[in-house]
Amino acid sequence: MISFCGIELAHPVVNGSGTFDAIAARRAFGDALLDDFPFAAFVSKTVTRAPRQGNPPPRLWELGAGMINSIGLPNKGLAGYLAEDLPQLAELPVPLIVNVMGSSAEDVAALVSAFAEREEVAALELNVSCPNVKTGLLMGADPGETAALLDAVRPLTAKPLVVKLTPNCASPAAVAAAAEAHGADAVSLINTIRGMAMHPRRPGEAWLGGGTGGVSGPAVHAVALAQVREVRERVRIPVVGMGGVATGRQARDMIDAGADLVGVGTASFRDPLAGARIAVELQRLSANSGITGGTPEPAPARIADAR
Ligand SMILES: Cc1cc2nc3c(=O)[nH]c(=O)nc-3n(C[C@H](O)[C@H](O)[C@H](O)COP(=O)(O)O)c2cc1C
């Protein structure tokens, strides 16, 4: 067992918000999903105050090493989530972290207040990759904006608040430091990196309905490691590291870069049980290196060691 912001978790692997639909997975796999849930906590996809349709299609573009999505956060809105999704997600065998986003501090405050009362919810993740309609600034791209947001919502709940940082800004580490100073309990990163795909047959046109989208998967792993390391050096609160993690080795590297938990996103599209496999691989690697106190096994000889 490990402890994250006072929440007990069986292992350090969680899902990235929006990349694993636990309700659809339960429909597909039945209660077997509950017996063998692939993550130590479940992070739900972003909930907004009002329902959202999301972006026009096409919404996905496959890259050589990952993908670009322009899903646009479609969701039922707060009332729909509370009535339809929350009761189902509360049946999962792991703690529930609800990810919320708003386009003003008041919007986010309404979401935080609503979830503050729900005992099914273990923690809240604030997706700050959204422009503030009042200031025009991306809430998570500017330390002052992030500080103001936390000042507005921190007093509304005793539940842990995790700030999901955006990589699309000058200094995620400066934003992380502002989040910590204004009461965040943890930070998570990276969210997707803004990218674009050109239409294969219409010169000059974007492929994605949203114009640009967010790059994820193996393509962003090295960027994620660098940002996690930079953030770790600036804050003392726990860090959830994600971005292109598909193996135990990559999860280990994320932890070595400074993460306390590891998020798995795009890898779950190829294999819905990727999270469980990565957790087992990570546990074996950690036992081999003596990190979790397991009996160290001799490391297999590597070519590099023999030089
Ligand atoms: C299809 C898709 C949908 C996503 N939806 C959300 C979302 O609703 N909220 C959010 O905070 N992040 C969302 N993300 C970002 C992921 O949670 C994660 O931060 C990012 O994809 C990097 O991890 P990965 O490379 O393992 O996918 C989404 C990513 C993808 C690929």
Side-chain angles (χ1 to χ4, degrees):
M1 280 288 189
I2 54 169
S3 175
F4 171 72
C5 301
I7 308 165
E8 296 288 300
L9 302 179
H11 58 79
V13 179
V14 301
N15 65 300
S17 169
T19 62
F20 188 90
D21 185 338
I23 295 173
R26 189 163 174 200
R27 269 200 302 273
F29 302 114
D31 286 350
L33 180 78
L34 307 188
D35 298 338
D36 217 0
F37 198 72
F39 305 106
F42 180 69
V43 184
S44 71
K45 67 184 179 220
T46 294
V47 186
T48 52
R49 206 170 169 184
R52 279 170 67 104
Q53 293 294 320
N55 287 336
R59 288 173 161 184
L60 284 181
W61 176 264
E62 191 174 335
L63 293 173
M67 64 184 183
I68 316 180
N69 87 81
S70 107
I71 310 281
L73 309 173
N75 75 98
K76 299 170 183 169
L78 177 60
Y81 184 90
L82 289 173
E84 294 167 31
D85 291 3
L86 188 57
Q88 297 185 65
L89 296 176
E91 290 180 8
L92 298 177
V94 296
L96 174 64
I97 300 175
V98 176
N99 177 303
V100 299
M101 188 188 81
S103 49
S104 65
E106 295 76 47
D107 245 16
V108 183
L111 289 153
V112 169
S113 303
F115 288 114
E117 301 171 359
R118 307 302 297 243
E119 62 177 27
E120 307 93 311
V121 177
L124 288 163
E125 184 173 64
L126 307 178
N127 177 359
V128 291
S129 296
C130 182
N132 184 331
V133 283
K134 293 190 179 144
T135 64
L137 291 171
L138 203 64
M139 287 197 197
D142 177 78
E145 284 277 333
T146 305
L149 178 65
L150 278 152
D151 288 347
V153 302
R154 178 68 280 180
L156 303 176
T157 183
K159 292 191 196 291
L161 289 175
V162 184
V163 174
K164 173 110 179 236
L165 302 169
T166 171
N168 304 311
C169 72
S171 175
V175 174
E180 178 179 45
H182 290 258
D185 298 283
V187 289
S188 54
L189 73 155
I190 62 173
N191 209 322
T192 56
I193 300 177
R194 205 155 71 93
M196 182 177 190
M198 300 312 295
H199 196 293
R201 284 173 301 281
R202 295 192 206 138
E205 248 183 63
W207 168 257
L208 295 166
T212 60
V215 182
S216 64
V220 307
H221 183 62
V223 177
L225 286 177
Q227 293 203 2
V228 165
R229 169 56 59 91
E230 209 184 325
V231 165
R232 175 76 286 160
E233 285 169 352
R234 287 288 290 273
V235 301
R236 299 174 69 91
I237 51 179
V239 173
V240 186
M242 67 194 108
V245 172
T247 65
R249 178 73 256 168
Q250 288 163 335
R252 181 73 251 162
D253 288 349
M254 200 56 96
I255 290 171
D256 289 344
D260 297 270
L261 298 185
V262 178
V264 172
T266 301
S268 300
F269 285 85
R270 185 171 284 175
D271 172 10
L273 293 180
R277 171 182 54 76
I278 292 166
V280 169
E281 289 172 4
L282 175 63
Q283 206 271 330
R284 285 198 190 123
L285 277 170
S286 302
N288 280 347
S289 64
I291 284 167
T292 58
T295 313
E297 289 170 20
R302 289 184 303 153
I303 292 171
D305 293 337
R307 273 210 301 256

